[in-house]
Amino acid sequence: MRSMLALLEERMRAALQRLGVEADPLVRVAQDEQFGDYQSNCAMGLARTLKKKPRDVAEAIIESLDVADCCAPPEPAGPGFINFRLRPEFLATELARVPVAPRGGNVPSDARADGGAAPPSCLLPLTSCLPQPGDSADRLGLPEAADPQVVVVDLSSPNLAKEMHVGHLRSTVIGDCICRILEFVGHHVHRENHVGDWGTQFGMLVAHLRHVRPDVIEHPEQLVIKNLETFYVEAKAHFDADPAFAEQARATVVELQQGDPATRRIWKAFCDESLRHCHELYRRLDVCLEDRGESCYADGMVEVIRRLEEQRAQHADGPVQESQGALCVFLEGFQTREGTPLPMIVRKRDGGFNYATSDLATLIHRIEQLKAQRIIYVVGVAQRQHFEMLFAAARRLGWAPPQVRLEHLGFGNLLASTGRPFKTREGGTVKLKDLLDEAVARARRVVAAPADEESGTPRALTPEEMDRIAETVGLAAVKYFDLSHALTTDYRFEPDIMLSLEGNTAPYMLYAYARVRAIGRKGGVDFTQLPANAPLLLDHPAEQRLALALARFPETLETVVRDLTPNTLTDYLYVLARAFSRFYDKKLGVPVLAATPEAVRISRLRLCDLTARTLRVGLHLLGIRTLEYM
Ligand code: ARG
């Protein structure tokens, strides 16, 4: 299967070339299906340059277009649009090309096994949790990317001083979805968990640990901290109340940075324990990533300063300047509220490094060592300015060549259902684990609803099955709800909406999948055994609509890969699920199991199977597991 949008663009480009003009074909999905499936408005712009009527230009393009194999004759419309409608026979041929049985083996499962070497200074071993081969074994006949790229995705990245809280949900879920899609398309992805494991807080934590758990020095592997949050609060209280301890904590930071072995051992024990907490959640969320924390760039930061000092020595009036004792990079376009230049501080007046230093070192590693061609930072919008300055500095200093794409995928906040920031009753942060538990508990109530004939739910589910289904549905609801919102807007945690069986929700999608699978069970049909070369027959409008929806999967992925908008995929899956619902509707649709003659029945079963597989792969790319019944 190939992208219909790309195909039409290609045909448009050829037509324009024949006319001897250069222009972007501007093919889009049509706004109103009444006028067609796709639309180009490239004639409008061209008319201006050619000083002709848009309508005439549109007609000339149509004249030169060669789309007879795939479209009904295109029509000019309105002031100068060109409308395309794909021919059902063409859709049928395209879809019939998808192999009947999902074939594994060509999944880029070990794409990242190679380039993951840690920088020499990496103090913590990389935890690798690679996606399992076969996870996305069904490629639905999609070809792999013609130009596979090395892409770094910076995701999740909590600070290890505390336990993961609700604020970490979005980066983890959105980042994972972006990785899954890029991997599926065939790119080499580094899933970088850039955890905060370095800096002054760790001096305090290590000093406190040494105090309350002297045994850790001998047996670092035995460290268990039940509640990281309480531990942090205790350490902080200790720090605030006891000046002698505060002094110790500050000395510990220095020891840590200078590499004192005993201090490093305790620090490592703490980070390992904190990471174990994180990975419990990652496992539960089915998220794979590699831990490569800020501490990995300790030497890199020294190198950053060396390079900056070198630039400063070479260009006295260049961007690198000392200002009030701090080493700074001055960049065009960044100003304080008062209108004075806003520098990026890379070494503080006291000689210390900061977030910018660490991110510059990280960026150098990603470009020079990992050979990244695209770097995507999945971090809240609050850090927008940090990344704008980081990218501007990296370009200005010549560390990020122009062909390397740098993107900050900023997202809005997850708010409580009241529309206010998420807080516990006591005003503390809400743990991510608690939020997931709540979603699962609520899902259990939905799952416990009476058995449903059509989705094939067996009458009595065992308690274990109920638990398993509730866990899947609850986590799916959280993820789907998150991913279906436009990235940059805030949204509210609303369990009733996200667990509803109606609308663009995970339960609706999971139900749609289970329902299609139930058709196979009911009719005793093994979808993988359907004849491979049986033609698809698309006579009924409901069949045509479903076929068109199925054929739009490739272009949907293309869009997400380009624009990094997971909600394009959720919207697509919702359209597909509804097209299926229409197709299978008793009044508006067509019979499937009871269809005659046999060729029609087989064709419809093929459509059912393609729907189930597209839903499953699509949900998988969102990080959601499907259920055979619910
Ligand atoms: N640890 C940071 C935080 O909690 C996020 C790190 C994001 N990644 C990065 N390369 N800056 O805010």
Side-chain angles (χ1 to χ4, degrees):
M1 206 168 32
R2 56 189 157 164
S3 158
M4 298 295 120
L5 193 65
L7 176 75
L8 291 176
E9 270 170 1
E10 207 178 282
R11 300 293 174 88
M12 276 291 288
R13 242 179 248 119
L16 293 166
Q17 206 169 24
R18 277 192 284 274
L19 291 174
V21 289
E22 244 180 77
D24 191 322
L26 296 177
V27 183
R28 306 274 180 269
V29 171
Q31 292 300 316
D32 187 341
E33 60 182 270
Q34 230 185 310
F35 301 118
D37 305 329
Y38 297 87
Q39 182 172 70
S40 160
N41 62 357
C42 111
M44 315 285 233
L46 259 181
R48 233 169 291 133
T49 18
L50 300 175
K51 300 209 168 41
K52 286 191 178 154
K53 277 202 215 109
R55 182 95 187 181
D56 295 345
V57 177
E59 267 160 22
I61 296 175
I62 289 173
E63 194 68 14
S64 127
L65 256 174
D66 179 8
V67 287
D69 59 330
C70 52
C71 296
E75 288 160 20
F81 297 117
I82 302 171
N83 290 336
F84 299 96
R85 195 181 291 281
L86 295 173
R87 291 173 35 206
E89 313 85 83
F90 174 71
L91 281 174
T93 328
E94 282 296 309
L95 290 175
R97 286 213 191 119
V98 179
V100 174
R103 219 165 291 152
N106 52 352
V107 188
S109 54
D110 58 354
R112 294 170 309 108
D114 47 354
S121 68
C122 204
L123 304 168
L124 297 171
L126 295 186
T127 319
S128 291
C129 156
L130 299 167
Q132 292 308 302
D135 268 1
S136 42
D138 189 359
R139 295 196 55 78
L140 291 164
L142 260 79
E144 296 229 356
D147 56 339
Q149 283 190 322
V150 177
V151 187
V152 166
V153 179
D154 185 313
L155 76 162
S156 196
S157 308
N159 290 330
L160 296 188
K162 298 185 172 188
E163 195 160 330
M164 285 178 80
H165 57 79
V166 290
H168 296 114
L169 177 76
R170 300 210 72 192
S171 175
T172 309
V173 168
I174 297 166
D176 179 51
C177 169
I178 296 295
C179 291
R180 284 170 184 252
I181 293 175
L182 290 168
E183 282 158 356
F184 183 79
V185 170
H187 297 300
H188 295 239
V189 180
H190 292 276
R191 300 161 164 253
E192 299 278 310
N193 192 18
H194 188 78
V195 295
D197 58 0
W198 209 229
T200 49
Q201 281 179 333
F202 288 88
M204 177 182 88
L205 293 166
V206 169
H208 186 61
L209 195 56
R210 207 177 236 154
H211 210 82
V212 293
R213 291 286 304 275
D215 62 303
V216 174
I217 303 181
E218 296 305 320
H219 301 287
E221 71 291 344
Q222 286 175 9
L223 176 66
V224 174
I225 304 175
K226 269 252 172 60
N227 192 329
L228 280 165
E229 217 59 33
T230 345
F231 184 82
Y232 181 88
V233 172
E234 281 167 15
K236 183 81 172 62
H238 196 178
F239 186 92
D240 291 339
D242 181 351
F245 174 72
E247 203 37 58
Q248 261 173 40
R250 276 188 277 270
T252 308
V253 180
V254 179
E255 283 166 22
L256 194 57
Q257 293 184 339
Q258 289 175 347
D260 172 64
T263 312
R264 285 259 168 113
R265 246 197 327 272
I266 306 174
W267 164 80
K268 184 174 175 310
F270 178 84
C271 292
D272 283 349
E273 169 63 358
S274 179
L275 278 168
R276 273 193 288 275
H277 285 248
C278 299
H279 277 271
E280 254 169 55
L281 282 168
Y282 295 145
R283 218 168 302 130
R284 186 171 181 196
L285 287 168
D286 258 336
V287 171
C288 292
L289 30 66
E290 288 181 61
D291 304 324
R292 200 193 316 258
E294 289 182 28
S295 64
C296 295
Y297 306 97
D299 292 350
M301 291 197 266
V302 178
E303 170 66 8
V304 164
I305 302 299
R306 193 196 62 75
R307 291 191 190 186
L308 290 176
E309 289 288 15
E310 192 178 274
Q311 288 215 9
R312 184 161 74 111
Q314 280 166 4
H315 310 282
D317 49 2
V320 188
Q321 301 281 337
E322 208 169 85
S323 171
Q324 298 170 25
L327 188 65
C328 304
V329 185
F330 284 88
L331 300 156
E332 239 164 80
F334 294 95
Q335 291 189 329
T336 62
R337 240 176 254 155
E338 291 75 43
T340 55
L342 175 71
M344 172 158 146
I345 299 175
V346 190
R347 188 182 58 208
K348 295 184 282 185
R349 203 191 318 195
D350 65 6
F353 299 155
N354 61 15
Y355 197 39
T357 332
S358 151
D359 256 329
L360 279 171
T362 307
L363 189 124
I364 290 179
H365 172 253
R366 291 174 178 173
I367 295 178
E368 296 181 7
Q369 248 72 54
L370 301 182
K371 310 270 182 252
Q373 294 162 286
R374 184 175 185 184
I375 311 180
I376 302 167
Y377 294 83
V378 189
V379 185
V381 280
Q383 294 192 27
R384 180 191 291 155
Q385 193 180 53
H386 166 73
F387 286 106
E388 280 175 358
M389 293 186 92
L390 176 71
F391 299 166
R395 302 274 188 219
R396 182 74 177 81
L397 296 164
W399 299 348
Q403 68 276 15
V404 175
R405 228 163 124 181
L406 302 175
E407 289 158 287
H408 171 213
L409 190 56
F411 51 81
N413 293 312
L414 165 56
L415 303 173
S417 55
T418 54
R420 305 250 195 87
F422 241 112
K423 288 272 185 272
T424 58
R425 225 170 288 146
E426 298 75 37
T429 47
V430 176
K431 291 182 184 175
L432 181 51
K433 179 180 181 301
D434 294 342
L435 178 115
L436 299 181
D437 286 346
E438 184 186 339
V440 170
R442 294 215 189 207
R444 208 169 193 291
R445 277 180 245 160
V446 178
V447 175
D452 174 19
E453 208 31 45
E454 220 183 341
S455 84
T457 313
R459 232 151 255 293
L461 292 173
T462 65
E464 292 75 36
E465 270 180 309
M466 291 263 266
D467 287 345
R468 186 180 59 86
I469 295 176
E471 176 82 4
T472 304
V473 174
L475 297 181
V478 170
K479 288 186 179 188
Y480 195 93
F481 197 58
D482 190 303
L483 295 167
S484 61
H485 284 83
L487 280 184
T488 50
T489 49
D490 294 347
Y491 76 89
R492 299 173 184 204
F493 181 75
E494 287 181 292
D496 291 338
I497 300 180
M498 63 200 222
L499 280 162
S500 163
L501 275 163
E502 311 283 325
N504 189 7
T505 64
Y508 177 81
M509 300 304 309
L510 291 173
Y511 180 78
Y513 174 79
R515 196 165 161 231
V516 192
R517 299 289 298 163
I519 297 172
R521 284 194 298 272
K522 191 167 158 210
V525 180
D526 178 353
F527 288 116
T528 63
Q529 297 304 317
L530 292 175
N533 44 15
L536 284 179
L537 309 166
L538 308 175
D539 292 323
H540 193 281
E543 290 172 305
Q544 293 170 6
R545 249 175 83 176
L546 178 58
L548 178 64
L550 287 166
R552 281 192 171 156
F553 185 56
E555 74 196 32
T556 304
L557 293 189
E558 268 171 14
T559 307
V560 185
V561 166
R562 188 191 59 219
D563 302 342
L564 305 178
T565 47
N567 64 318
T568 309
L569 180 53
T570 54
D571 288 350
Y572 164 77
L573 292 174
Y574 186 48
V575 169
L576 174 62
R578 275 185 316 178
F580 180 79
S581 189
R582 182 77 164 272
F583 162 84
Y584 197 54
D585 188 273
K586 286 209 176 67
K587 284 200 208 85
L588 303 168
V590 293
V592 175
L593 288 172
T596 49
E598 184 62 5
V600 173
R601 191 178 104 106
I602 289 174
S603 165
R604 289 182 186 161
L605 285 170
R606 275 282 268 152
L607 287 175
C608 288
D609 183 45
L610 286 172
T611 305
R613 285 163 63 190
T614 308
L615 288 174
R616 197 178 58 167
V617 173
L619 290 169
H620 169 79
L621 294 177
L622 298 172
I624 292 173
R625 294 189 179 192
T626 43
L627 294 162
E628 290 303 305
Y629 52 81
M630 59 183 278

